[in-house]
Amino acid sequence: MVKYALMFHPDRCVGCPTCVVACKQENEIPVGPSWLRITKRVYKVDGKLKMSFNLLRCMHCGRPPCIEACPVNAITKRSDGIVLINKELCTGCKACIEACPFKAPQYNPEKDVVEMCTLCVHRIEKGLLPSCVQHCPAGALYFGDVNAVTAALQENKWPTEV
Amino acid sequence: MKKIVKSICTQCHCECGVLVHVEDGVVKKIEGDPEFPQNEGTMCPKGLAFVQLLYHPDRLKYPMKRVGEKGEGKWERISWEEALDLMAAKFTEYREKYGPQSIAFGFCDGDRDEVGPWMAWLIAVGSPYIFGTDAHYCLRPAFVADSLTFGQSHTWEVGPDYDNSNCILIWGANPVESHPCSTARRILKARARGAKLIVVDPRFTPLASKADVWLQPRPATDAAVALGMLNVIINEKLYDEDFVKNWCTGFEELKERVQQYPPSKVAEISWVPEEDLVKAARLYAKNKPCAFHTRMGLLMNTNNLQTVRAVDLLSAVTGNVDIKGSNILPYPSPPRSRSYVDFFRLHKESIPLELFETRPGYKEWPLIYGYDSPWNDAHPPSAIEAIARGQVKAMIWVNDPVMGLQNSKKIQESLKKLEFMVGIDFFLSPTANLADIVLPSATWLERDMIHDLHYFYLPPKGKRDYHESFVSIGEKVIEPLYECWEERKMAAELIKRMGLKSPIPIDSSDAYNNWRLEPLGITVDELKKKRIVSIPIKYKKYEEIGFQTPSFNVELCSNVLKEQGFDPLPYYEEPPESPYSTPELAKEYPFILISGGRHICFYHGALRQLPWLRELNPEPKVEINPETAEELGIRNGDWVWIETPRRKGERVKLKAELTETVHPKVIHAYSHWWFPERKDDPDRGCFESNINIITYDDPPYDKHSGTPLIRGCLCKIGKVEA
């Protein structure tokens, strides 16, 4: 049984917001909410400057706290691991945002619903990569079966080699 | 009806292959094309958000005529007929009354190949004046410096063979922001497979953070750093003795010269710690093959030509030239498409010499603006002078020099003095606002366009081991929206109405593109079917034909420079304004200003209208070291003013970002800020936060290239009091 994973390689990321805009275009997200957010940190180790990036997004958790929090049972986890919000059921109450440690679910004021990363399920069903993964010029995002992705990361492969 | 059209994004010079999704004639989505070798499916935010430009409500939709005073922002819609008739009448009048030298064409960096039809217009008119605004600090001085040394240029995007490199040196360039998919992607991929990375940059950029060695020079001291590295490489005998013996001239002279730059002295000049400098030199020399790349960080100062030469010589003495994994010389190559070089040649051959010689800068800096230069541009600050004093009276401007050129207020005042000006753009920019006629241009989605892609790449799946560049076509996806026209059509119609004849076929898109493709023996229709024509490139071409310099060798000591009375060897020169050359001035202006850091979301002054991009960069920012900020009582997010000595009294306002990525003595301001959303202001706030208000276009200039001190001047800053 395939279990999908989207993995982030912090050593590769250069902090450009390509993934953010790719996601916005693909999923038609207005100004305001963002399913992906990059954070940058500049710090010193033994007097040497360092810079690191992180990508905040839905982790499609093993036991998603958002599912517990949703009062109308609009959130489900599929057998392939993808956590999805059913927009028909969502009332926009934002309880899932409160429950999520990453604040990954995002309120869309235009639609009055909460949305979050779907792993571009409409693309992967067609055999395409999620938009953020395909467009990342830094090779920092990996998508595929969790075992294949983990192996690719361990072998330091480029994402297109997964 | 749904369809997907394969095209090429032309929002920057990466030229990425894209798949454009169209539904009932409406562009819905632009995504990267995984089969296109330039970008292998990746994209950057500019291309991904481009649909927001295409259908932007503020896009120029039809020709307009000025009805108020110049720059007042009052416009009246007119027809193309009226616009073209008016233009034809005006340009004909000036041509007959004052001669063709009263007319010019100017452009800021944008679609370079769209310049072709305008060159055809210039030739038809007989004008010698093409004003490329970046002629003194973008490609040209580096191109000439490389050519003096190697006979050709191979350091800009064209040359580096990152895919096969063991060590990559990026100096004064930030491809992560400016060439993400074609260049940065390949650098990062090489690093991921273990190639060493050296970054020389006054800022700790994301790319610098990935480097094995990062050198942080004081701005505009790069020549000293390169000479210090050469000192280490030569004195420690880390150079390629065979290559130097067989293919280089002037080694003994260079060896003597670099003795003036021991690492300890260079450390004092450049603030780069001696041990870092030595480490970088050894890493570079011991990890052959190395590819290197330089850009505007080296070029925006008054010693730019010798600075690029100094960095070039690192690759020369280590033999990192035209071998696999180094920098590949572009020529000789099999036939390519006709491109800007051909347009320039045609222009040069068509204009009488005595007229050609009147180009501003022609006599003063012949290496860049003279007859033998591959470019036909004028020296930009002198060209602006020529406009200001009324020598040039009527012009067409494409894009936005008010934002793009140094000393913005002077640019605006000068352009206002033009008796007749046509502005061409997608939006009513601060420059277009000064025009008498404004014309709406078609985007790359609305026209066919030949792309001559020089970038080297490894073909997908790594099936062949040689490198090649290629010619491709960016296909028209939809018909031009509203009343927008492609510039070729504007030029063709104008030439016709002036009763002149175009020297090249530009009457239709196919005719023009077929003319461009002629040397390849292929037509537009055939290219559309094939999509890519590969042009293989060989290594070590010098073994057959030598280097294209006077001595047929790599000239460490340049014969051309010697003949022209210049120092034939690279040297370091203290900037005309600095804590050391003007210590008294530095008491009042204690910081060093670098301007012009790019952001991946914007292309120079363009794209600030697009909601998805502006959301990520809402305001102009200036980077200040926290230590400095504390001394001055500046907190993160405070508005800060900046002033430079030669623009005393002019203060630009940007928002403080406190970061240790800049040196405590260095201030870095992001460039090109204006506020297109301020529709009540005809200048769109372009004199508020635009750093070019206080940058220099004045002398002293580099004596070879005429470049002023653009980055690395002194400045003072302070908190804007409410």
Side-chain angles (χ1 to χ4, degrees), chain B residues 484-511:
Chain B
C484 298
W485 277 20
E486 55 184 304
E487 288 170 40
R488 175 206 51 76
K489 189 173 166 188
M490 299 178 198
E493 288 296 321
L494 180 59
I495 292 171
K496 239 182 261 170
R497 273 161 218 254
M498 288 179 75
L500 303 170
K501 197 176 172 309
S502 171
I504 58 173
I506 56 169
D507 275 348
S508 73
S509 177
D510 279 357

PDB file of all heavy atoms in Angstrom, chain B residues 484-511:
ATOM      1  N   CYS B 484      -3.312  45.697 -27.682  1.00  0.00           N
ATOM      2  CA  CYS B 484      -1.856  45.577 -27.547  1.00  0.00           C
ATOM      3  C   CYS B 484      -1.269  45.048 -28.857  1.00  0.00           C
ATOM      4  O   CYS B 484      -1.882  44.220 -29.537  1.00  0.00           O
ATOM      5  CB  CYS B 484      -1.503  44.631 -26.412  1.00  0.00           C
ATOM      6  SG  CYS B 484      -2.085  45.222 -24.812  1.00  0.00           S
ATOM      7  N   TRP B 485      -0.073  45.531 -29.170  1.00  0.00           N
ATOM      8  CA  TRP B 485       0.627  45.085 -30.369  1.00  0.00           C
ATOM      9  C   TRP B 485       2.001  44.568 -29.996  1.00  0.00           C
ATOM     10  O   TRP B 485       2.622  45.067 -29.053  1.00  0.00           O
ATOM     11  CB  TRP B 485       0.839  46.277 -31.329  1.00  0.00           C
ATOM     12  CG  TRP B 485      -0.312  46.600 -32.203  1.00  0.00           C
ATOM     13  CD1 TRP B 485      -1.622  46.256 -32.029  1.00  0.00           C
ATOM     14  CD2 TRP B 485      -0.257  47.400 -33.394  1.00  0.00           C
ATOM     15  NE1 TRP B 485      -2.388  46.780 -33.045  1.00  0.00           N
ATOM     16  CE2 TRP B 485      -1.574  47.492 -33.897  1.00  0.00           C
ATOM     17  CE3 TRP B 485       0.772  48.051 -34.077  1.00  0.00           C
ATOM     18  CZ2 TRP B 485      -1.886  48.200 -35.062  1.00  0.00           C
ATOM     19  CZ3 TRP B 485       0.465  48.759 -35.224  1.00  0.00           C
ATOM     20  CH2 TRP B 485      -0.855  48.829 -35.716  1.00  0.00           C
ATOM     21  N   GLU B 486       2.498  43.613 -30.786  1.00  0.00           N
ATOM     22  CA  GLU B 486       3.906  43.278 -30.611  1.00  0.00           C
ATOM     23  C   GLU B 486       4.743  44.416 -31.199  1.00  0.00           C
ATOM     24  O   GLU B 486       4.324  45.104 -32.140  1.00  0.00           O
ATOM     25  CB  GLU B 486       4.251  41.930 -31.218  1.00  0.00           C
ATOM     26  CG  GLU B 486       3.911  41.749 -32.675  1.00  0.00           C
ATOM     27  CD  GLU B 486       4.196  40.332 -33.164  1.00  0.00           C
ATOM     28  OE1 GLU B 486       5.342  39.895 -33.019  1.00  0.00           O
ATOM     29  OE2 GLU B 486       3.270  39.680 -33.663  1.00  0.00           O
ATOM     30  N   GLU B 487       5.928  44.620 -30.640  1.00  0.00           N
ATOM     31  CA  GLU B 487       6.736  45.777 -31.025  1.00  0.00           C
ATOM     32  C   GLU B 487       7.188  45.696 -32.486  1.00  0.00           C
ATOM     33  O   GLU B 487       7.365  46.715 -33.147  1.00  0.00           O
ATOM     34  CB  GLU B 487       7.929  45.929 -30.081  1.00  0.00           C
ATOM     35  CG  GLU B 487       7.481  46.406 -28.710  1.00  0.00           C
ATOM     36  CD  GLU B 487       8.586  46.342 -27.680  1.00  0.00           C
ATOM     37  OE1 GLU B 487       9.735  46.662 -28.015  1.00  0.00           O
ATOM     38  OE2 GLU B 487       8.296  45.940 -26.533  1.00  0.00           O
ATOM     39  N   ARG B 488       7.371  44.483 -32.970  1.00  0.00           N
ATOM     40  CA  ARG B 488       7.729  44.329 -34.379  1.00  0.00           C
ATOM     41  C   ARG B 488       6.718  45.027 -35.286  1.00  0.00           C
ATOM     42  O   ARG B 488       7.076  45.731 -36.226  1.00  0.00           O
ATOM     43  CB  ARG B 488       7.808  42.833 -34.732  1.00  0.00           C
ATOM     44  CG  ARG B 488       8.065  42.551 -36.183  1.00  0.00           C
ATOM     45  CD  ARG B 488       7.545  41.213 -36.619  1.00  0.00           C
ATOM     46  NE  ARG B 488       6.152  40.973 -36.270  1.00  0.00           N
ATOM     47  CZ  ARG B 488       5.113  41.509 -36.893  1.00  0.00           C
ATOM     48  NH1 ARG B 488       5.285  42.334 -37.910  1.00  0.00           N
ATOM     49  NH2 ARG B 488       3.869  41.231 -36.504  1.00  0.00           N
ATOM     50  N   LYS B 489       5.445  44.841 -34.967  1.00  0.00           N
ATOM     51  CA  LYS B 489       4.385  45.422 -35.786  1.00  0.00           C
ATOM     52  C   LYS B 489       4.402  46.955 -35.678  1.00  0.00           C
ATOM     53  O   LYS B 489       4.200  47.655 -36.675  1.00  0.00           O
ATOM     54  CB  LYS B 489       3.034  44.867 -35.303  1.00  0.00           C
ATOM     55  CG  LYS B 489       1.869  45.211 -36.206  1.00  0.00           C
ATOM     56  CD  LYS B 489       0.623  44.467 -35.732  1.00  0.00           C
ATOM     57  CE  LYS B 489      -0.635  45.010 -36.374  1.00  0.00           C
ATOM     58  NZ  LYS B 489      -1.851  44.421 -35.790  1.00  0.00           N
ATOM     59  N   MET B 490       4.674  47.445 -34.456  1.00  0.00           N
ATOM     60  CA  MET B 490       4.748  48.906 -34.286  1.00  0.00           C
ATOM     61  C   MET B 490       5.855  49.466 -35.170  1.00  0.00           C
ATOM     62  O   MET B 490       5.659  50.461 -35.878  1.00  0.00           O
ATOM     63  CB  MET B 490       5.077  49.270 -32.830  1.00  0.00           C
ATOM     64  CG  MET B 490       4.077  48.813 -31.788  1.00  0.00           C
ATOM     65  SD  MET B 490       4.688  49.290 -30.134  1.00  0.00           S
ATOM     66  CE  MET B 490       3.703  48.218 -29.090  1.00  0.00           C
ATOM     67  N   ALA B 491       7.037  48.836 -35.114  1.00  0.00           N
ATOM     68  CA  ALA B 491       8.186  49.336 -35.886  1.00  0.00           C
ATOM     69  C   ALA B 491       7.888  49.261 -37.383  1.00  0.00           C
ATOM     70  O   ALA B 491       8.159  50.206 -38.134  1.00  0.00           O
ATOM     71  CB  ALA B 491       9.434  48.534 -35.540  1.00  0.00           C
ATOM     72  N   ALA B 492       7.302  48.136 -37.814  1.00  0.00           N
ATOM     73  CA  ALA B 492       7.017  47.951 -39.244  1.00  0.00           C
ATOM     74  C   ALA B 492       6.053  49.027 -39.750  1.00  0.00           C
ATOM     75  O   ALA B 492       6.268  49.626 -40.809  1.00  0.00           O
ATOM     76  CB  ALA B 492       6.439  46.551 -39.481  1.00  0.00           C
ATOM     77  N   GLU B 493       4.995  49.278 -38.993  1.00  0.00           N
ATOM     78  CA  GLU B 493       3.998  50.267 -39.414  1.00  0.00           C
ATOM     79  C   GLU B 493       4.586  51.685 -39.418  1.00  0.00           C
ATOM     80  O   GLU B 493       4.276  52.491 -40.295  1.00  0.00           O
ATOM     81  CB  GLU B 493       2.776  50.209 -38.479  1.00  0.00           C
ATOM     82  CG  GLU B 493       1.913  48.974 -38.679  1.00  0.00           C
ATOM     83  CD  GLU B 493       1.275  48.926 -40.069  1.00  0.00           C
ATOM     84  OE1 GLU B 493       0.861  49.982 -40.578  1.00  0.00           O
ATOM     85  OE2 GLU B 493       1.226  47.824 -40.658  1.00  0.00           O
ATOM     86  N   LEU B 494       5.430  51.961 -38.435  1.00  0.00           N
ATOM     87  CA  LEU B 494       6.034  53.298 -38.353  1.00  0.00           C
ATOM     88  C   LEU B 494       6.970  53.540 -39.545  1.00  0.00           C
ATOM     89  O   LEU B 494       6.946  54.611 -40.162  1.00  0.00           O
ATOM     90  CB  LEU B 494       6.780  53.462 -37.021  1.00  0.00           C
ATOM     91  CG  LEU B 494       7.454  54.815 -36.786  1.00  0.00           C
ATOM     92  CD1 LEU B 494       6.435  55.957 -36.838  1.00  0.00           C
ATOM     93  CD2 LEU B 494       8.183  54.832 -35.441  1.00  0.00           C
ATOM     94  N   ILE B 495       7.770  52.524 -39.853  1.00  0.00           N
ATOM     95  CA  ILE B 495       8.692  52.648 -40.993  1.00  0.00           C
ATOM     96  C   ILE B 495       7.909  52.914 -42.277  1.00  0.00           C
ATOM     97  O   ILE B 495       8.236  53.803 -43.061  1.00  0.00           O
ATOM     98  CB  ILE B 495       9.567  51.374 -41.125  1.00  0.00           C
ATOM     99  CG1 ILE B 495      10.539  51.270 -39.952  1.00  0.00           C
ATOM    100  CG2 ILE B 495      10.334  51.365 -42.451  1.00  0.00           C
ATOM    101  CD1 ILE B 495      11.300  49.960 -39.865  1.00  0.00           C
ATOM    102  N   LYS B 496       6.830  52.164 -42.451  1.00  0.00           N
ATOM    103  CA  LYS B 496       5.995  52.311 -43.659  1.00  0.00           C
ATOM    104  C   LYS B 496       5.433  53.730 -43.755  1.00  0.00           C
ATOM    105  O   LYS B 496       5.492  54.387 -44.784  1.00  0.00           O
ATOM    106  CB  LYS B 496       4.837  51.306 -43.592  1.00  0.00           C
ATOM    107  CG  LYS B 496       4.832  50.350 -44.779  1.00  0.00           C
ATOM    108  CD  LYS B 496       3.638  49.417 -44.690  1.00  0.00           C
ATOM    109  CE  LYS B 496       4.046  48.065 -44.123  1.00  0.00           C
ATOM    110  NZ  LYS B 496       2.884  47.224 -43.793  1.00  0.00           N
ATOM    111  N   ARG B 497       4.875  54.191 -42.641  1.00  0.00           N
ATOM    112  CA  ARG B 497       4.242  55.511 -42.645  1.00  0.00           C
ATOM    113  C   ARG B 497       5.252  56.641 -42.824  1.00  0.00           C
ATOM    114  O   ARG B 497       4.882  57.750 -43.206  1.00  0.00           O
ATOM    115  CB  ARG B 497       3.452  55.724 -41.350  1.00  0.00           C
ATOM    116  CG  ARG B 497       2.042  55.198 -41.460  1.00  0.00           C
ATOM    117  CD  ARG B 497       1.443  54.998 -40.095  1.00  0.00           C
ATOM    118  NE  ARG B 497       0.631  53.792 -40.118  1.00  0.00           N
ATOM    119  CZ  ARG B 497      -0.684  53.789 -40.132  1.00  0.00           C
ATOM    120  NH1 ARG B 497      -1.341  54.921 -40.097  1.00  0.00           N
ATOM    121  NH2 ARG B 497      -1.349  52.662 -40.175  1.00  0.00           N
ATOM    122  N   MET B 498       6.506  56.372 -42.492  1.00  0.00           N
ATOM    123  CA  MET B 498       7.526  57.413 -42.717  1.00  0.00           C
ATOM    124  C   MET B 498       8.054  57.355 -44.150  1.00  0.00           C
ATOM    125  O   MET B 498       8.967  58.103 -44.502  1.00  0.00           O
ATOM    126  CB  MET B 498       8.686  57.244 -41.716  1.00  0.00           C
ATOM    127  CG  MET B 498       8.317  57.626 -40.283  1.00  0.00           C
ATOM    128  SD  MET B 498       9.698  57.400 -39.122  1.00  0.00           S
ATOM    129  CE  MET B 498      10.734  58.816 -39.539  1.00  0.00           C
ATOM    130  N   GLY B 499       7.481  56.431 -44.948  1.00  0.00           N
ATOM    131  CA  GLY B 499       7.916  56.304 -46.339  1.00  0.00           C
ATOM    132  C   GLY B 499       9.308  55.702 -46.457  1.00  0.00           C
ATOM    133  O   GLY B 499      10.016  55.921 -47.438  1.00  0.00           O
ATOM    134  N   LEU B 500       9.718  54.929 -45.456  1.00  0.00           N
ATOM    135  CA  LEU B 500      11.058  54.341 -45.468  1.00  0.00           C
ATOM    136  C   LEU B 500      10.959  52.837 -45.697  1.00  0.00           C
ATOM    137  O   LEU B 500       9.875  52.262 -45.732  1.00  0.00           O
ATOM    138  CB  LEU B 500      11.760  54.626 -44.127  1.00  0.00           C
ATOM    139  CG  LEU B 500      11.883  56.114 -43.750  1.00  0.00           C
ATOM    140  CD1 LEU B 500      12.352  56.263 -42.315  1.00  0.00           C
ATOM    141  CD2 LEU B 500      12.836  56.834 -44.705  1.00  0.00           C
ATOM    142  N   LYS B 501      12.142  52.221 -45.799  1.00  0.00           N
ATOM    143  CA  LYS B 501      12.164  50.780 -46.059  1.00  0.00           C
ATOM    144  C   LYS B 501      12.949  50.083 -44.954  1.00  0.00           C
ATOM    145  O   LYS B 501      14.065  50.503 -44.605  1.00  0.00           O
ATOM    146  CB  LYS B 501      12.824  50.525 -47.413  1.00  0.00           C
ATOM    147  CG  LYS B 501      12.541  49.144 -47.960  1.00  0.00           C
ATOM    148  CD  LYS B 501      13.123  48.973 -49.347  1.00  0.00           C
ATOM    149  CE  LYS B 501      13.013  47.535 -49.844  1.00  0.00           C
ATOM    150  NZ  LYS B 501      13.500  46.502 -48.955  1.00  0.00           N
ATOM    151  N   SER B 502      12.377  49.016 -44.420  1.00  0.00           N
ATOM    152  CA  SER B 502      13.091  48.269 -43.386  1.00  0.00           C
ATOM    153  C   SER B 502      14.222  47.457 -44.004  1.00  0.00           C
ATOM    154  O   SER B 502      14.034  46.819 -45.041  1.00  0.00           O
ATOM    155  CB  SER B 502      12.133  47.326 -42.655  1.00  0.00           C
ATOM    156  OG  SER B 502      12.874  46.476 -41.803  1.00  0.00           O
ATOM    157  N   PRO B 503      15.404  47.455 -43.387  1.00  0.00           N
ATOM    158  CA  PRO B 503      16.517  46.668 -43.936  1.00  0.00           C
ATOM    159  C   PRO B 503      16.349  45.168 -43.711  1.00  0.00           C
ATOM    160  O   PRO B 503      17.059  44.369 -44.299  1.00  0.00           O
ATOM    161  CB  PRO B 503      17.724  47.206 -43.161  1.00  0.00           C
ATOM    162  CG  PRO B 503      17.151  47.703 -41.873  1.00  0.00           C
ATOM    163  CD  PRO B 503      15.766  48.185 -42.173  1.00  0.00           C
ATOM    164  N   ILE B 504      15.451  44.786 -42.834  1.00  0.00           N
ATOM    165  CA  ILE B 504      15.204  43.358 -42.607  1.00  0.00           C
ATOM    166  C   ILE B 504      13.700  43.123 -42.697  1.00  0.00           C
ATOM    167  O   ILE B 504      12.918  44.030 -42.459  1.00  0.00           O
ATOM    168  CB  ILE B 504      15.745  42.877 -41.234  1.00  0.00           C
ATOM    169  CG1 ILE B 504      15.118  43.688 -40.077  1.00  0.00           C
ATOM    170  CG2 ILE B 504      17.248  42.970 -41.167  1.00  0.00           C
ATOM    171  CD1 ILE B 504      15.476  43.165 -38.699  1.00  0.00           C
ATOM    172  N   PRO B 505      13.301  41.897 -43.048  1.00  0.00           N
ATOM    173  CA  PRO B 505      11.857  41.657 -43.181  1.00  0.00           C
ATOM    174  C   PRO B 505      11.173  41.650 -41.822  1.00  0.00           C
ATOM    175  O   PRO B 505      11.448  40.785 -40.999  1.00  0.00           O
ATOM    176  CB  PRO B 505      11.774  40.284 -43.853  1.00  0.00           C
ATOM    177  CG  PRO B 505      13.097  39.651 -43.641  1.00  0.00           C
ATOM    178  CD  PRO B 505      14.100  40.712 -43.388  1.00  0.00           C
ATOM    179  N   ILE B 506      10.318  42.637 -41.586  1.00  0.00           N
ATOM    180  CA  ILE B 506       9.591  42.663 -40.309  1.00  0.00           C
ATOM    181  C   ILE B 506       8.091  42.851 -40.513  1.00  0.00           C
ATOM    182  O   ILE B 506       7.372  43.168 -39.575  1.00  0.00           O
ATOM    183  CB  ILE B 506      10.130  43.759 -39.354  1.00  0.00           C
ATOM    184  CG1 ILE B 506      10.105  45.137 -40.005  1.00  0.00           C
ATOM    185  CG2 ILE B 506      11.525  43.443 -38.865  1.00  0.00           C
ATOM    186  CD1 ILE B 506      10.370  46.272 -39.026  1.00  0.00           C
ATOM    187  N   ASP B 507       7.625  42.667 -41.759  1.00  0.00           N
ATOM    188  CA  ASP B 507       6.208  42.907 -42.024  1.00  0.00           C
ATOM    189  C   ASP B 507       5.284  41.927 -41.326  1.00  0.00           C
ATOM    190  O   ASP B 507       4.149  42.238 -41.014  1.00  0.00           O
ATOM    191  CB  ASP B 507       5.937  42.883 -43.532  1.00  0.00           C
ATOM    192  CG  ASP B 507       6.207  44.255 -44.140  1.00  0.00           C
ATOM    193  OD1 ASP B 507       6.359  45.212 -43.354  1.00  0.00           O
ATOM    194  OD2 ASP B 507       6.293  44.361 -45.376  1.00  0.00           O
ATOM    195  N   SER B 508       5.773  40.724 -41.110  1.00  0.00           N
ATOM    196  CA  SER B 508       4.962  39.776 -40.343  1.00  0.00           C
ATOM    197  C   SER B 508       5.889  39.041 -39.389  1.00  0.00           C
ATOM    198  O   SER B 508       7.103  39.006 -39.579  1.00  0.00           O
ATOM    199  CB  SER B 508       4.278  38.767 -41.266  1.00  0.00           C
ATOM    200  OG  SER B 508       5.237  37.856 -41.762  1.00  0.00           O
ATOM    201  N   SER B 509       5.271  38.490 -38.368  1.00  0.00           N
ATOM    202  CA  SER B 509       6.024  37.752 -37.368  1.00  0.00           C
ATOM    203  C   SER B 509       6.790  36.596 -38.028  1.00  0.00           C
ATOM    204  O   SER B 509       7.968  36.377 -37.746  1.00  0.00           O
ATOM    205  CB  SER B 509       5.033  37.227 -36.330  1.00  0.00           C
ATOM    206  OG  SER B 509       5.679  36.453 -35.387  1.00  0.00           O
ATOM    207  N   ASP B 510       6.119  35.873 -38.925  1.00  0.00           N
ATOM    208  CA  ASP B 510       6.766  34.734 -39.594  1.00  0.00           C
ATOM    209  C   ASP B 510       7.939  35.199 -40.448  1.00  0.00           C
ATOM    210  O   ASP B 510       8.991  34.562 -40.472  1.00  0.00           O
ATOM    211  CB  ASP B 510       5.763  33.966 -40.454  1.00  0.00           C
ATOM    212  CG  ASP B 510       4.925  33.016 -39.611  1.00  0.00           C
ATOM    213  OD1 ASP B 510       5.184  32.938 -38.389  1.00  0.00           O
ATOM    214  OD2 ASP B 510       4.020  32.376 -40.161  1.00  0.00           O
ATOM    215  N   ALA B 511       7.740  36.317 -41.175  1.00  0.00           N
ATOM    216  CA  ALA B 511       8.822  36.807 -42.043  1.00  0.00           C
ATOM    217  C   ALA B 511      10.047  37.162 -41.205  1.00  0.00           C
ATOM    218  O   ALA B 511      11.186  36.810 -41.541  1.00  0.00           O
ATOM    219  CB  ALA B 511       8.343  38.030 -42.829  1.00  0.00           C
TER     220      ALA B 511
END
